[in-house]
Amino acid sequence: MANELKVIVYMTAIISTGYALMKYTVPDEEQMKKRLDPALRLEYDKMKLANREKSQLLMDRIREAAETDKPAWEIANEHLKKD
């Protein structure tokens, strides 16, 4: 029983230390953004906006597919013909 308790204590200490080091050393998104060069920050904002628009378009298409009885490939073909 004592060995199991020691293992649990050591394991908890090691994992806690690793987590604390990660939280202390890894910057969050806002800190990274503040460190960027203004040109890179502008590029980052543009890419983030473009990714958000793509995600929104994908979600719209998924909702549309969920509301119809058509197969997914027919819906995809319709969107390809539109674009």
Side-chain angles (χ1 to χ4, degrees), residues 6 10 14-16 18-20 35-36 41-42 44-46 55 59 62 66 68 70-71 75 77 79 82:
K6 283 169 63 174
Y10 288 145
I14 290 169
I15 291 173
S16 300
Y19 183 76
R35 291 181 186 175
L36 285 177
R41 191 177 310 146
L42 183 62
Y44 167 79
D45 289 336
K46 285 180 183 178
S55 296
M59 289 304 295
I62 290 172
T68 65
K70 294 180 184 178
I75 296 170
N77 287 336
H79 285 289
K82 283 184 191 177

Side-chain angles (χ1 to χ4, degrees), residues 21-67:
L21 283 172
M22 180 195 68
K23 281 301 206 183
Y24 180 71
T25 58
V26 176
D28 63 356
E29 188 175 352
E30 282 299 317
Q31 290 173 340
M32 286 296 293
K33 192 174 176 183
K34 287 178 185 176
R35 291 181 186 175
L36 285 177
D37 184 65
L40 287 175
R41 191 177 310 146
L42 183 62
E43 183 180 341
Y44 167 79
D45 289 336
K46 285 180 183 178
M47 289 181 70
K48 191 170 182 177
L49 180 62
N51 288 340
R52 188 176 300 135
E53 289 172 354
K54 286 179 185 178
S55 296
Q56 185 61 41
L57 179 63
L58 178 63
M59 289 304 295
D60 292 342
R61 289 185 178 177
I62 290 172
R63 282 191 198 102
E64 179 185 341
E67 292 172 356

